[in-house]
C-alpha cells in the first residue's frame, strides 16, 4: 500500500474520520493503529523488527533516564549511561545492518561454509528501517544528552516510530519535535485541513505528473546507455535530476500535507535545492532531516571528540593554523559523506557518490580563500544576479553528474555515459524526433517540459512566501479554478492506472 | 455551503472529463458495441421474441431486420466484438430484466476462447457501455477476477484506465454517447467482399491434421539426429474452455428460469486454423454437439447446413466473418428454422418499421459495396441510382475484356459513347439521377472540371498511349482507385457522401473488382452516421 493506491486513500480517509471522531486524548491511538495496519500491509513479518528496535530504544531511554535521576553528578551519570547508550546503539545498528547487508552476509557466509540453500537466503528488510532507526538513535542520544525526555509509555514511542506518513521515506523526525504534537489534543481546523489537502495534491502532481512521466524517458535512455547518444543522455540526466527531486519532495508533500490535516507538523525535508549556490548549500536544502541528523549525531560528536581535537592541535603545531583547522573539517566531513553514501546504498557506486560530494565540499571549504581571491583577481562581480544564476546552474550540474554515478548501478556504465558526452554527442538527436521514441511520445514529452516550467514557476512564487496563503486570499473564481486545474491535471496527466506500471517512490528503498 | 458547491462543481467536472476520456465504442471496434447495447436499452419492454448473442461472427452474421422484413419476427442481435461467454451471460441477464424472448440464440465461438489471449478490450466494450447498477457491479467483480491488473474500480471510474488517452482525443470523443434504437437491431453492417481463398475441405483436413499433431521435432546444428518430443497439446486444440463452458451452463440456467429456449448455433466461418483462432471444423462441432446434449439444448451448426453462403463473395475478411449479404442469407435460413421449431409472434411494430426503412436504404449501399461482379454492379447502379451521381474514369485500357452484354448494360444506363472507345482510349462519364450528364471518349487524355450543385468536380482519364492515369476528384479529395480499367465512384445525393469507389479491370474478361476495403468501411460508417443515426 504505497501513497499511490486506493487502499492508501481509504486508509487516509478512515484515519481522518476516526481521528476527529475519537476522544481527543485517544487520537494518537488512532494514528498508531492505522500506522500498524499500513505497515502490516507490506507484510506482517516486517513488523517484529520495528517493534524490536523501538523496544530497544524505549528500554535504553528508560534506563538512562533512571540513571540520570539517581545520579546527581551529571558527568558521573553520563558515564553510567554510556554503556547503555552503546548497547542500544549496537542493537539498533545491528538490526539496520541486518536489513542492509544481511542477505549478502548470509549468502556469502553460507557459500563459504557450503551450507545448503544459502544462495537463496534472504534477510527480511523492515520497511523504512533507515528512517526509523535514525529517528530512534536521535531519540536515545538526545535522552543521553538530556535534550529529550524518555517516554514512560512504550506505546507512545511506538506511535511516534511507526507513524505511517513518514515511515516510507521520512522525514527523519526527532522525537522531541513530533511526539509532543502527537499527544496533544487536536480540533478539526477547516483551513488547516484545506491547506493539508492542497499540499498533498501538489505532492501528487510532482510525483505522478512530473516524476513518473520523466522516469519513463530516463529509464529508457539509461537502460540502453550503450546505444544512446550523448545528446539523449544529457536530456535524460536533466530529466533525471528533476525526476529525483519531484519524486522525493512530492512524497514529502504528501506526508507533510496529510500530517497537516491531522494538525501535526512534520519537519521540512526540502527547500528549493536547485536554487542553491554551492554544494554545501544544496545539501542543506535537499533531504534536510538527513543532513541535520548527520550533523548533530555524526559530524558534531566527531568535531568535539578529544581525539580529533588532539590531532588538530598536533597538525597546527607541525603544519600551521590552516592545517589544524582543515583537519577539523576534513575528517568529519569525509566520515559524514561516506556514511551518506552507505545510507543510500552499499554498492561501490554509492560509496563513490558519497566520496564525490565529500571531496567537492571539502575542497570548496579548504580552498575557499583561494577561490575568493581568484574571483577578485578575475574581477567577477559575485554580487550580481548573473553570478548567482551561474552558481545555481553549476550546483545543478554537480547534482546531475553525481546522480549519473548511481543511475546505472554500475560505475563502468556511468563512465561510458560521461565519455559519450564528449565522444558521441550527436547534436541532431535534439531535433530529429528521436527524443520522442524513448518511452514518451511527442505530446507526453512536451507535457513533461511544460510541467517542469510549472514547477519552476511555482518554486519562484514559493520563494516569495506561501503560495497557499496567497491563493487563499485571492478571489473565489481564481482560487477554485486553481484547485480544479491542479486536481484534474493529476487525474488526466498523471502516470497511474493499469495503462502504466506506476513506479514506486525512489527513496522507499532506503 | 461554499464547500458543497465546490464539491458539486468538481463532481460535475469529473463526470464530464471521465465521459470524454472513456472511449466511445461506437464504431471504433468491429461491432459497434455502444450502439448495440444502448440500442437494446431503447427497446420497448417485452417487444422481442428472439435474442441473438455472441461475438463478432454473430454480430456481423445475422440481420434481425431481415428476419423482420421476411418473417415479421422481432429480434435483437446483442453481440459485441470478441464477446466472451461470461459477457454473453451478463448481457443476457441484463436483457432479461426488460425482455422475455422465447428463444435465445447463442453463437458458440466463444467456447473455444483461449485462456492466454488478452481479451481485456472485449470485456470493456460491454462494461464501459452498461448502465450503472447492480449487474454492472456483478460483472465488474467477474472482470476483476480475470483482469485483476485493471481492477473493478476502473469500471466505475474508467478515468483510472483511460486518462492517458488525453493525447489522442478527437472531436468524436466530445460527442454525446450513442442513444436510441439502433436501426440494424444490433447487427453490424460490413459490406465489403474479400473472398476466402481456401476450399472448405482443405480447411477441414488441415485442422484435423493439426489437431492430431502432438509431435515436436528439432534438428539442432550440432546434433546428428532429430530430437522428437511429444507434447500434451496438439498444434490445433479444439477443446472447449472450461470456464466458458461453465458460463454457458449459467446461460442455460438463466434461459430455463425465464422460460426461454436456448439454441446454440455457429455462424459459418471458413478460415485457416493456423491464422485464426476461431477457425471451425467438425472436431469443434462434435464437441459442441456433445455439450449441447448435456445442457438439453439444440446445436444448429450452420457451417454444415444449406444456407447458400458463398465464401468467395459473402465475407469481408477471407472467411473470418460474413458480410451483410452473407448475413441476409443466414437470416433467411434462421427465420425458417425458428418458425419451424418455435412458437413465435409474427407482428409488425412501428419502431421496427421505421428501422427497416433505414435498413433498406443502407442495403442499397452495402449491396453496391459488396458487389464484385461487374454485371451485378451495373444492375445495382440501374436499380438504385436514382439518387446517386456516378463518375466513371477509364485508366490505361478498358475495352479488351468488355463483352457485348457489358456494353449493352452500360448503354442501358444511358452511356452512349462507351462502346466507341478503342484499345487504350481514355473515357469519362458522369451520370446524375439515373441519366448521363456528361460523357467523352478520346485517344488523348481527357480532363474535365465541372460544378454539380455544391460539388466541385475534377475528372481525368488517360489511356495506355498517354500517361495511364485516372482521377475523380470531388471537392478536393481524390476518390478514384486509379487502377487499370473503369474506375467508378458513386456519390449519394441525399446524404452528401461518397458511398462507393470500385475499379473493374475491364482489360481482362474476368473484370476483376478492386476495392479499398478500409475506405469502403469508412464510407459506410459515414453514411450510417449521416442518414441512419442522425434520425
Amino acid at each position: 500500500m504505497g501513497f499511490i493506491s486506493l487502499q492508501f486513500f481509504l486508509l487516509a480517509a478512515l484515519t481522518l474520520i476516526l481521528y476527529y471522531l475519537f476522544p481527543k486524548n485517544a487520537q494518537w491511538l488512532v494514528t498508531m493503529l492505522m500506522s500498524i495496519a499500513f505497515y502490516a500491509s507490506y507484510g506482517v513479518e516486517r513488523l517484529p523488527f520495528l517493534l524490536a528496535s523501538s523496544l530497544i530504544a524505549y528500554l535504553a531511554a528508560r534506563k538512562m533516564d533512571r540513571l540520570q535521576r539517581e545520579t546527581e553528578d551529571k558527568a558521573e551519570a553520563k558515564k553510567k549511561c554510556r554503556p547503555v547508550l552503546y548497547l542500544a546503539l549496537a542493537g539498533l545498528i545491528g538490526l539496520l545492518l541486518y536489513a542492509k547487508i544481511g542477505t549478502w552476509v548470509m549468502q556469502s557466509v553460507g557459500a563459504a561454509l557450503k551450507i545448503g540453500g544459502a544462495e537463496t537466503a534472504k534477510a527480511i528488510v523492515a520497511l523504512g528501517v533507515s528512517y526509523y532507526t535514525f529517528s530512534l538513535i536521535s531519540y536515545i542520544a538526545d535522552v543521553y544528552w538530556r535534550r529529550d525526555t524518555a517516554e514512560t509509555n512504550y506505546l507512545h514511542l511506538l506511535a511516534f516510530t511507526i507513524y505511517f506518513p513518514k515511515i516510507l521515506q521520512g522525514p527523519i523526525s526527532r522525537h522531541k519535535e513530533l511526539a509532543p504534537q502527537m499527544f496533544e489534543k487536536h480540533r478539526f481546523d477547516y483551513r488547516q485541513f484545506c491547506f493539508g489537502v492542497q499540499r498533498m495534491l501538489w505532492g501528487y502532481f510532482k510525483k505522478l505528473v512530473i516524476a513518473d512521466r520523466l522516469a519513463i524517458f530516463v529509464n529508457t535512455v539509461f537502460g540502453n546507455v550503450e546505444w544512446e547518444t550523448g545528446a539523449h543522455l544529457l536530456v535524460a540526466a536533466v530529466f533525471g535530476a528533476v525526476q529525483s527531486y519531484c519524486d522525493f519532495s512530492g512524497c514529502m508533500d504528501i506526508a507533510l500535507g496529510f500530517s497537516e490535516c491531522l494538525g501535526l507538523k512534520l519537519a521540512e525535508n526540502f527547500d528549493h535545492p536547485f536554487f542553491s549556490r554551492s554544494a554545501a548549500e544544496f545539501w542543506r536544502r535537499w533531504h534536510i532531516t538527513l543532513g541535520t541528523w548527520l550533523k548533530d549525531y555524526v559530524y558534531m560528536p566527531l568535531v568535539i571528540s578529544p581525539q580529533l581535537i588532539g590531532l588538530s592541535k598536533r597538525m597546527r603545531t607541525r603544519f600551521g593554523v590552516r592545517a589544524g583547522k582543515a583537519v577539523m573539517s576534513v575528517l568529519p566531513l569525509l566520515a559524514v559523506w561516506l556514511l551518506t553514501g552507505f545510507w543510500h546504498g552499499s554498492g561501490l557506486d554509492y560509496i563513490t557518490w558519497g566520496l564525490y560530494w565529500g571531496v567537492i565540499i571539502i575542497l570548496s571549504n579548504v580552498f575557499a580563500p583561494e577561490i575568493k581571491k581568484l574571483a577578485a583577481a578575475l574581477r567577477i562581480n559575485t554580487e550580481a544576479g548573473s553570478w548567482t544564476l551561474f552558481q545555481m546552474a553549476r550546483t545543478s550540474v554537480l547534482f546531475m553528474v553525481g546522480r549519473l554515478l548511481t543511475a546505472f548501478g554500475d560505475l563502468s556504465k556511468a563512465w561510458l555515459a560521461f565519455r559519450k558526452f564528449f565522444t558521441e554527442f550527436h547534436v541532431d538527436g535534439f531535433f530529429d524526433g528521436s527524443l520522442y521514441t524513448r518511452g514518451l511520445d511527442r505530446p507526453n514529452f512536451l507535457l513533461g517540459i511544460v510541467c517542469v516550467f510549472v514547477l519552476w514557476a511555482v518554486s519562484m512564487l514559493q520563494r516569495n512566501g506561501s503560495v497557499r496563503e496567497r491563493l487563499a486570499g485571492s478571489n473565489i473564481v481564481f482560487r477554485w479554478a486553481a484547485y480544479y486545474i491542479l486536481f484534474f491535471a493529476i487525474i488526466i496527466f498523471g502516470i497511474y492506472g493499469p495503462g502504466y506500471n506506476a513506479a514506486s517512490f525512489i527513496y522507499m528503498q532506503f | 455551503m461554499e464547500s458543497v458547491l465546490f464539491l458539486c462543481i468538481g463532481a460535475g467536472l469529473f463526470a464530464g472529463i471521465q465521459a470524454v476520456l472513456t472511449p466511445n465504442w461506437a464504431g471504433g471496434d468491429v461491432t459497434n458495441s455502444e450502439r448495440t447495447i444502448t440500442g437494446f436499452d431503447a427497446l420497448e419492454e417485452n417487444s422481442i421474441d428472439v435474442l441473438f448473442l455472441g461475438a463478432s461472427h454473430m454480430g456481423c452474421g445475422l440481420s434481425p431486420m431481415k428476419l423482420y422484413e421476411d418473417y415479421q419476427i422481432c429480434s435483437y442481435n446483442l453481440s459485441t466484438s470478441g464477446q466472451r461467454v461470461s459477457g454473453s451471460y451478463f448481457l443476457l441477464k441484463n436483457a432479461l430484466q426488460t425482455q422475455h424472448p422465447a428463444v435465445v440464440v447463442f453463437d458458440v465461438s466463444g467456447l473455444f476462447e483461449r485462456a492466454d489471449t488478452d481479451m481485456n478490450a472485449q470485456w470493456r466494450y460491454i462494461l464501459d457501455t452498461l448502465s450503472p447498477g447492480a449487474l454492472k457491479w456483478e460483472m465488474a467483480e467477474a472482470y476483476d477476477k480475470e483482469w485483476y491488473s485493471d481492477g473493478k474500480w476502473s469500471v466505475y471510474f474508467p478515468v483510472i484506465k483511460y486518462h492517458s488517452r488525453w493525447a489522442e482525443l478527437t472531436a468524436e470523443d466530445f460527442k454525446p454517447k450513442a442513444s436510441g434504437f439502433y436501426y440494424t437491431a444490433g447487427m453490424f453492417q460490413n459490406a465489403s467482399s474479400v473472398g476466402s481463398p481456401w476450399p472448405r475441405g482443405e480447411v477441414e483436413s488441415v485442422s484435423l491434421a493439426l489437431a492430431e499433431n502432438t509431435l515436436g521435432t528439432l534438428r539442432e546444428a550440432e546434433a546428428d539426429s532429430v530430437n522428437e518430443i511429444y507434447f500434451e497439446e496438439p498444434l490445433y486444440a479444439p477443446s472447449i474452455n472450461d470456464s466458458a463452458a461453465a458460463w454457458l451452463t449459467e446461460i442455460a440456467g438463466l434461459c430455463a428460469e425465464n422460460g426461454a429456449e436456448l439454441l446454440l448455433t455457429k455462424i459459418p466461418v471458413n478460415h485457416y486454423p493456423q491464422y485464426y483462432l476461431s477457425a471451425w471444423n467438425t472436431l469443434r462441432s462434435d464437441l459442441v454437439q456433445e455439450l449441447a446434449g448435456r445442457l438439453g439444448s439444440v446445436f444448429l451448426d450452420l457451417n454444415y447446413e444449406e444456407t447458400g453462403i458463398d465464401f468467395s463473395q459473402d465475407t469481408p475478411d477471407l472467411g473470418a466473418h460474413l458480410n451483410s449479404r452473407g448475413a441476409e442469407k443466414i437470416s433467411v435460413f434462421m427465420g425458417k428454422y425458428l418458425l419451424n421449431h418455435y412458437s413465435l409472434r409474427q407482428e409488425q411494430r412501428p419502431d421496427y418499421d421505421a428501422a427497416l426503412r433505414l435498413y433498406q436504404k443502407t442495403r442499397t449501399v452495402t449491396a453496391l459495396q459488396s458487389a464484385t461482379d461487374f454485371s451485378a454492379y451495373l444492375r445495382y447502379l440501374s436499380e438504385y441510382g436514382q439518387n446517386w451521381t456516378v463518375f466513371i474514369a477509364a485508366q490505361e485500357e478498358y475495352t479488351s475484356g468488355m463483352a457485348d452484354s457489358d456494353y449493352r448494360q452500360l448503354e442501358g444506363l444511358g452511356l452512349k459513347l462507351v462502346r466507341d472507345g478503342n484499345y487504350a482510349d481514355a473515357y469519362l462519364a458522369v451520370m446524375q439521377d439515373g441519366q448521363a450528364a456528361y460523357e467523352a471518349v478520346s485517344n488523348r487524355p481527357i480532363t474535365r472540371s465541372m460544378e454539380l450543385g455544391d460539388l466541385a468536380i475534377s475528372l481525368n482519364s488517360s489511356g495506355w498511349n498517354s500517361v495511364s492515369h485516372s482521377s475523380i476528384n470531388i471537392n478536393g479529395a481524390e476518390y478514384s482507385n486509379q487502377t487499370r480499367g473503369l474506375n467508378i465512384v458513386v456519390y449519394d445525393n441525399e446524404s452528401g457522401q461518397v458511398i462507393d469507389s470500385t475499379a473493374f479491370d475491364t482489360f481482362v474478361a474476368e473484370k476483376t473488382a478492386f476495392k479499398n476495403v478500409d475506405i469502403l468501411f469508412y464510407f459506410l460508417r459515414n453514411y450510417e452516421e449521416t442518414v441512419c443515426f442522425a434520425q
Side-chain angles (χ1 to χ4, degrees), chain B residues 214-225:
Chain B
T214 55
L215 176 64
T217 57
L218 175 70
R219 186 190 292 277
E220 287 175 303
E222 67 275 19
D224 294 331
S225 59

CSV table of all heavy atoms in Angstrom, one decimal, chain B residues 214-225:
chain,number,residue,atom,x,y,z
B,214,THR,N,0.8,-34.0,-32.2
B,214,THR,CA,1.4,-33.7,-30.9
B,214,THR,C,2.9,-33.8,-30.9
B,214,THR,O,3.6,-33.7,-29.9
B,214,THR,CB,0.8,-34.5,-29.8
B,214,THR,OG1,1.0,-35.9,-30.2
B,214,THR,CG2,-0.7,-34.3,-29.6
B,215,LEU,N,3.5,-34.1,-32.1
B,215,LEU,CA,4.9,-34.4,-32.1
B,215,LEU,C,5.7,-33.1,-32.4
B,215,LEU,O,5.3,-32.3,-33.3
B,215,LEU,CB,5.2,-35.4,-33.3
B,215,LEU,CG,6.6,-35.7,-33.5
B,215,LEU,CD1,7.3,-36.4,-32.3
B,215,LEU,CD2,6.8,-36.5,-34.8
B,216,GLY,N,6.7,-32.9,-31.6
B,216,GLY,CA,7.6,-31.8,-31.9
B,216,GLY,C,8.9,-32.3,-32.3
B,216,GLY,O,9.4,-33.2,-31.7
B,217,THR,N,9.5,-31.8,-33.4
B,217,THR,CA,10.8,-32.3,-33.9
B,217,THR,C,11.8,-31.1,-33.9
B,217,THR,O,11.4,-30.0,-34.2
B,217,THR,CB,10.7,-32.9,-35.3
B,217,THR,OG1,10.2,-31.9,-36.1
B,217,THR,CG2,9.8,-34.1,-35.3
B,218,LEU,N,13.0,-31.4,-33.5
B,218,LEU,CA,14.0,-30.4,-33.5
B,218,LEU,C,15.3,-31.0,-34.0
B,218,LEU,O,15.8,-32.0,-33.5
B,218,LEU,CB,14.2,-29.9,-32.0
B,218,LEU,CG,15.3,-28.9,-31.8
B,218,LEU,CD1,15.0,-27.6,-32.4
B,218,LEU,CD2,15.6,-28.8,-30.3
B,219,ARG,N,15.9,-30.3,-35.0
B,219,ARG,CA,17.2,-30.8,-35.5
B,219,ARG,C,18.1,-29.6,-35.2
B,219,ARG,O,18.0,-28.6,-35.8
B,219,ARG,CB,17.1,-31.0,-37.0
B,219,ARG,CG,18.4,-31.6,-37.6
B,219,ARG,CD,18.4,-31.6,-39.1
B,219,ARG,NE,17.4,-32.6,-39.6
B,219,ARG,CZ,17.7,-33.8,-39.8
B,219,ARG,NH1,18.8,-34.4,-39.5
B,219,ARG,NH2,16.7,-34.6,-40.3
B,220,GLU,N,19.0,-29.9,-34.3
B,220,GLU,CA,20.0,-28.8,-33.9
B,220,GLU,C,21.2,-29.0,-34.8
B,220,GLU,O,21.6,-30.1,-35.2
B,220,GLU,CB,20.3,-28.9,-32.4
B,220,GLU,CG,19.1,-28.4,-31.6
B,220,GLU,CD,19.3,-28.6,-30.1
B,220,GLU,OE1,19.6,-29.7,-29.7
B,220,GLU,OE2,19.2,-27.6,-29.4
B,221,ALA,N,21.9,-27.9,-34.9
B,221,ALA,CA,23.1,-27.8,-35.8
B,221,ALA,C,24.1,-28.9,-35.5
B,221,ALA,O,24.7,-29.6,-36.3
B,221,ALA,CB,23.7,-26.4,-35.8
B,222,GLU,N,24.4,-29.0,-34.2
B,222,GLU,CA,25.4,-29.9,-33.8
B,222,GLU,C,25.0,-31.4,-33.5
B,222,GLU,O,25.8,-32.2,-33.3
B,222,GLU,CB,26.1,-29.4,-32.5
B,222,GLU,CG,25.3,-29.4,-31.2
B,222,GLU,CD,24.4,-28.1,-31.1
B,222,GLU,OE1,24.2,-27.5,-32.2
B,222,GLU,OE2,23.9,-27.8,-30.0
B,223,ALA,N,23.6,-31.6,-33.6
B,223,ALA,CA,23.1,-32.9,-33.3
B,223,ALA,C,23.1,-33.8,-34.6
B,223,ALA,O,22.9,-33.3,-35.7
B,223,ALA,CB,21.7,-32.8,-32.8
B,224,ASP,N,23.3,-35.1,-34.4
B,224,ASP,CA,23.3,-36.0,-35.5
B,224,ASP,C,21.9,-36.4,-35.9
B,224,ASP,O,21.6,-36.7,-37.1
B,224,ASP,CB,24.1,-37.3,-35.2
B,224,ASP,CG,25.6,-36.9,-35.0
B,224,ASP,OD1,26.0,-35.9,-35.7
B,224,ASP,OD2,26.3,-37.6,-34.3
B,225,SER,N,21.0,-36.4,-34.9
B,225,SER,CA,19.7,-36.9,-35.2
B,225,SER,C,18.6,-35.9,-34.9
B,225,SER,O,18.9,-34.9,-34.2
B,225,SER,CB,19.4,-38.2,-34.4
B,225,SER,OG,19.6,-37.9,-33.0
